[in-house]
PDB file of all heavy atoms in Angstrom:
ATOM      1  N   ASP H  50    -153.658 213.905 -22.790  1.00 86.00           N
ATOM      2  CA  ASP H  50    -152.802 214.699 -21.888  1.00 86.00           C
ATOM      3  C   ASP H  50    -151.515 213.946 -21.547  1.00 86.00           C
ATOM      4  O   ASP H  50    -151.154 213.789 -20.382  1.00 86.00           O
ATOM      5  CB  ASP H  50    -153.583 215.051 -20.619  1.00 86.00           C
ATOM      6  CG  ASP H  50    -152.851 216.076 -19.767  1.00 86.00           C
ATOM      7  OD1 ASP H  50    -152.060 216.852 -20.324  1.00 86.00           O
ATOM      8  OD2 ASP H  50    -153.065 216.085 -18.541  1.00 86.00           O
ATOM      9  N   LEU H  52    -148.438 214.747 -21.974  1.00 84.00           N
ATOM     10  CA  LEU H  52    -147.417 215.576 -21.331  1.00 84.00           C
ATOM     11  C   LEU H  52    -147.725 215.769 -19.846  1.00 84.00           C
ATOM     12  O   LEU H  52    -146.837 215.756 -19.003  1.00 84.00           O
ATOM     13  CB  LEU H  52    -147.295 216.928 -22.040  1.00 84.00           C
ATOM     14  CG  LEU H  52    -146.797 216.874 -23.488  1.00 84.00           C
ATOM     15  CD1 LEU H  52    -146.859 218.241 -24.130  1.00 84.00           C
ATOM     16  CD2 LEU H  52    -145.372 216.323 -23.548  1.00 84.00           C
ATOM     17  N   GLY H  53    -149.011 215.942 -19.533  1.00 77.00           N
ATOM     18  CA  GLY H  53    -149.411 216.084 -18.136  1.00 77.00           C
ATOM     19  C   GLY H  53    -149.228 214.808 -17.333  1.00 77.00           C
ATOM     20  O   GLY H  53    -149.131 214.848 -16.099  1.00 77.00           O
ATOM     21  N   SER H  54    -149.178 213.663 -18.049  1.00 80.00           N
ATOM     22  CA  SER H  54    -149.005 212.369 -17.377  1.00 80.00           C
ATOM     23  C   SER H  54    -147.542 211.963 -17.232  1.00 80.00           C
ATOM     24  O   SER H  54    -147.250 210.891 -16.698  1.00 80.00           O
ATOM     25  CB  SER H  54    -149.765 211.274 -18.153  1.00 80.00           C
ATOM     26  OG  SER H  54    -151.140 211.551 -18.175  1.00 80.00           O
ATOM     27  N   VAL H  55    -146.615 212.815 -17.715  1.00 82.00           N
ATOM     28  CA  VAL H  55    -145.185 212.499 -17.629  1.00 82.00           C
ATOM     29  C   VAL H  55    -144.752 212.141 -16.201  1.00 82.00           C
ATOM     30  O   VAL H  55    -144.031 211.152 -16.000  1.00 82.00           O
ATOM     31  CB  VAL H  55    -144.323 213.655 -18.207  1.00 82.00           C
ATOM     32  CG1 VAL H  55    -142.865 213.534 -17.798  1.00 82.00           C
ATOM     33  CG2 VAL H  55    -144.434 213.675 -19.726  1.00 82.00           C
ATOM     34  N   PRO H  56    -145.168 212.905 -15.163  1.00 75.00           N
ATOM     35  CA  PRO H  56    -144.772 212.527 -13.792  1.00 75.00           C
ATOM     36  C   PRO H  56    -145.250 211.130 -13.392  1.00 75.00           C
ATOM     37  O   PRO H  56    -144.556 210.407 -12.671  1.00 75.00           O
ATOM     38  CB  PRO H  56    -145.448 213.599 -12.919  1.00 75.00           C
ATOM     39  CG  PRO H  56    -145.645 214.759 -13.827  1.00 75.00           C
ATOM     40  CD  PRO H  56    -145.926 214.175 -15.170  1.00 75.00           C
ATOM     41  N   VAL H 185    -138.295 214.948 -22.040  1.00 84.00           N
ATOM     42  CA  VAL H 185    -139.521 215.766 -22.069  1.00 84.00           C
ATOM     43  C   VAL H 185    -139.672 216.531 -20.759  1.00 84.00           C
ATOM     44  O   VAL H 185    -140.015 217.718 -20.758  1.00 84.00           O
ATOM     45  CB  VAL H 185    -140.767 214.877 -22.324  1.00 84.00           C
ATOM     46  CG1 VAL H 185    -142.055 215.681 -22.135  1.00 84.00           C
ATOM     47  CG2 VAL H 185    -140.726 214.292 -23.726  1.00 84.00           C
ATOM     48  N   LYS H 186    -139.377 215.864 -19.644  1.00 79.00           N
ATOM     49  CA  LYS H 186    -139.497 216.520 -18.333  1.00 79.00           C
ATOM     50  C   LYS H 186    -138.505 217.679 -18.218  1.00 79.00           C
ATOM     51  O   LYS H 186    -138.845 218.760 -17.728  1.00 79.00           O
ATOM     52  CB  LYS H 186    -139.264 215.510 -17.211  1.00 79.00           C
ATOM     53  CG  LYS H 186    -139.552 216.089 -15.831  1.00 79.00           C
ATOM     54  CD  LYS H 186    -139.235 215.107 -14.738  1.00 79.00           C
ATOM     55  CE  LYS H 186    -139.485 215.732 -13.375  1.00 79.00           C
ATOM     56  NZ  LYS H 186    -139.098 214.851 -12.270  1.00 79.00           N
ATOM     57  N   LEU H 189    -139.717 220.658 -20.723  1.00 80.00           N
ATOM     58  CA  LEU H 189    -140.890 221.434 -20.301  1.00 80.00           C
ATOM     59  C   LEU H 189    -140.757 221.979 -18.890  1.00 80.00           C
ATOM     60  O   LEU H 189    -141.207 223.087 -18.605  1.00 80.00           O
ATOM     61  CB  LEU H 189    -142.155 220.572 -20.392  1.00 80.00           C
ATOM     62  CG  LEU H 189    -142.623 220.169 -21.786  1.00 80.00           C
ATOM     63  CD1 LEU H 189    -143.824 219.256 -21.682  1.00 80.00           C
ATOM     64  CD2 LEU H 189    -142.972 221.396 -22.618  1.00 80.00           C
ATOM     65  N   GLY H 190    -140.145 221.181 -18.019  1.00 83.00           N
ATOM     66  CA  GLY H 190    -140.085 221.567 -16.615  1.00 83.00           C
ATOM     67  C   GLY H 190    -141.445 221.379 -15.959  1.00 83.00           C
ATOM     68  O   GLY H 190    -142.458 221.196 -16.638  1.00 83.00           O
ATOM     69  N   VAL H 191    -141.493 221.429 -14.650  1.00 76.00           N
ATOM     70  CA  VAL H 191    -142.738 221.238 -13.904  1.00 76.00           C
ATOM     71  C   VAL H 191    -143.748 222.327 -14.267  1.00 76.00           C
ATOM     72  O   VAL H 191    -144.929 222.072 -14.483  1.00 76.00           O
ATOM     73  CB  VAL H 191    -142.473 221.248 -12.379  1.00 76.00           C
ATOM     74  CG1 VAL H 191    -143.777 221.133 -11.612  1.00 76.00           C
ATOM     75  CG2 VAL H 191    -141.539 220.110 -12.000  1.00 76.00           C
ATOM     76  N   GLY H 192    -143.259 223.577 -14.371  1.00 84.00           N
ATOM     77  CA  GLY H 192    -144.129 224.706 -14.715  1.00 84.00           C
ATOM     78  C   GLY H 192    -144.715 224.579 -16.108  1.00 84.00           C
ATOM     79  O   GLY H 192    -145.885 224.897 -16.332  1.00 84.00           O
ATOM     80  N   GLY H 193    -143.906 224.100 -17.053  1.00 83.00           N
ATOM     81  CA  GLY H 193    -144.359 223.938 -18.437  1.00 83.00           C
ATOM     82  C   GLY H 193    -145.478 222.922 -18.560  1.00 83.00           C
ATOM     83  O   GLY H 193    -146.458 223.153 -19.279  1.00 83.00           O
ATOM     84  N   VAL H 194    -145.338 221.804 -17.863  1.00 77.00           N
ATOM     85  CA  VAL H 194    -146.373 220.765 -17.866  1.00 77.00           C
ATOM     86  C   VAL H 194    -147.670 221.323 -17.279  1.00 77.00           C
ATOM     87  O   VAL H 194    -148.763 221.106 -17.804  1.00 77.00           O
ATOM     88  CB  VAL H 194    -145.915 219.514 -17.079  1.00 77.00           C
ATOM     89  CG1 VAL H 194    -147.066 218.536 -16.881  1.00 77.00           C
ATOM     90  CG2 VAL H 194    -144.756 218.826 -17.802  1.00 77.00           C
ATOM     91  N   TYR H 195    -147.535 222.095 -16.202  1.00 82.00           N
ATOM     92  CA  TYR H 195    -148.693 222.695 -15.525  1.00 82.00           C
ATOM     93  C   TYR H 195    -149.427 223.671 -16.454  1.00 82.00           C
ATOM     94  O   TYR H 195    -150.649 223.612 -16.602  1.00 82.00           O
ATOM     95  CB  TYR H 195    -148.225 223.428 -14.259  1.00 82.00           C
ATOM     96  CG  TYR H 195    -149.313 224.188 -13.534  1.00 82.00           C
ATOM     97  CD1 TYR H 195    -150.161 223.544 -12.631  1.00 82.00           C
ATOM     98  CD2 TYR H 195    -149.500 225.557 -13.747  1.00 82.00           C
ATOM     99  CE1 TYR H 195    -151.160 224.239 -11.974  1.00 82.00           C
ATOM    100  CE2 TYR H 195    -150.498 226.255 -13.099  1.00 82.00           C
ATOM    101  CZ  TYR H 195    -151.319 225.596 -12.209  1.00 82.00           C
ATOM    102  OH  TYR H 195    -152.310 226.282 -11.564  1.00 82.00           O
ATOM    103  N   VAL H 196    -148.670 224.547 -17.121  1.00 85.00           N
ATOM    104  CA  VAL H 196    -149.263 225.549 -18.015  1.00 85.00           C
ATOM    105  C   VAL H 196    -149.961 224.878 -19.195  1.00 85.00           C
ATOM    106  O   VAL H 196    -151.072 225.263 -19.583  1.00 85.00           O
ATOM    107  CB  VAL H 196    -148.193 226.546 -18.519  1.00 85.00           C
ATOM    108  CG1 VAL H 196    -148.734 227.413 -19.647  1.00 85.00           C
ATOM    109  CG2 VAL H 196    -147.702 227.415 -17.370  1.00 85.00           C
ATOM    110  N   MET H 197    -149.330 223.846 -19.778  1.00 79.00           N
ATOM    111  CA  MET H 197    -149.919 223.142 -20.914  1.00 79.00           C
ATOM    112  C   MET H 197    -151.228 222.468 -20.525  1.00 79.00           C
ATOM    113  O   MET H 197    -152.193 222.461 -21.291  1.00 79.00           O
ATOM    114  CB  MET H 197    -148.937 222.101 -21.473  1.00 79.00           C
ATOM    115  CG  MET H 197    -147.829 222.697 -22.291  1.00 79.00           C
ATOM    116  SD  MET H 197    -147.080 221.504 -23.410  1.00 79.00           S
ATOM    117  CE  MET H 197    -148.346 221.280 -24.626  1.00 79.00           C
ATOM    118  N   ARG H 198    -151.259 221.904 -19.331  1.00 79.00           N
ATOM    119  CA  ARG H 198    -152.477 221.245 -18.852  1.00 79.00           C
ATOM    120  C   ARG H 198    -153.625 222.247 -18.751  1.00 79.00           C
ATOM    121  O   ARG H 198    -154.749 221.974 -19.167  1.00 79.00           O
ATOM    122  CB  ARG H 198    -152.209 220.583 -17.496  1.00 79.00           C
ATOM    123  CG  ARG H 198    -153.357 219.726 -16.991  1.00 79.00           C
ATOM    124  CD  ARG H 198    -152.972 219.024 -15.692  1.00 79.00           C
ATOM    125  NE  ARG H 198    -154.078 218.233 -15.189  1.00 79.00           N
ATOM    126  CZ  ARG H 198    -154.350 217.001 -15.562  1.00 79.00           C
ATOM    127  NH1 ARG H 198    -153.598 216.410 -16.465  1.00 79.00           N
ATOM    128  NH2 ARG H 198    -155.376 216.356 -15.049  1.00 79.00           N
ATOM    129  N   LYS H 199    -153.349 223.425 -18.200  1.00 86.00           N
ATOM    130  CA  LYS H 199    -154.380 224.461 -18.055  1.00 86.00           C
ATOM    131  C   LYS H 199    -154.823 224.982 -19.420  1.00 86.00           C
ATOM    132  O   LYS H 199    -156.010 225.177 -19.679  1.00 86.00           O
ATOM    133  CB  LYS H 199    -153.863 225.637 -17.208  1.00 86.00           C
ATOM    134  CG  LYS H 199    -153.414 225.269 -15.812  1.00 86.00           C
ATOM    135  CD  LYS H 199    -154.532 224.675 -14.982  1.00 86.00           C
ATOM    136  CE  LYS H 199    -154.038 224.260 -13.609  1.00 86.00           C
ATOM    137  NZ  LYS H 199    -155.064 223.550 -12.824  1.00 86.00           N
TER     138      LYS H 199
END
Side-chain angles (χ1 to χ4, degrees):
D50 190 26
L52 295 174
S54 298
V55 165
V185 171
K186 187 184 178 184
L189 292 176
V191 177
V194 170
Y195 175 84
V196 169
M197 284 201 72
R198 187 176 178 85
K199 301 299 178 186

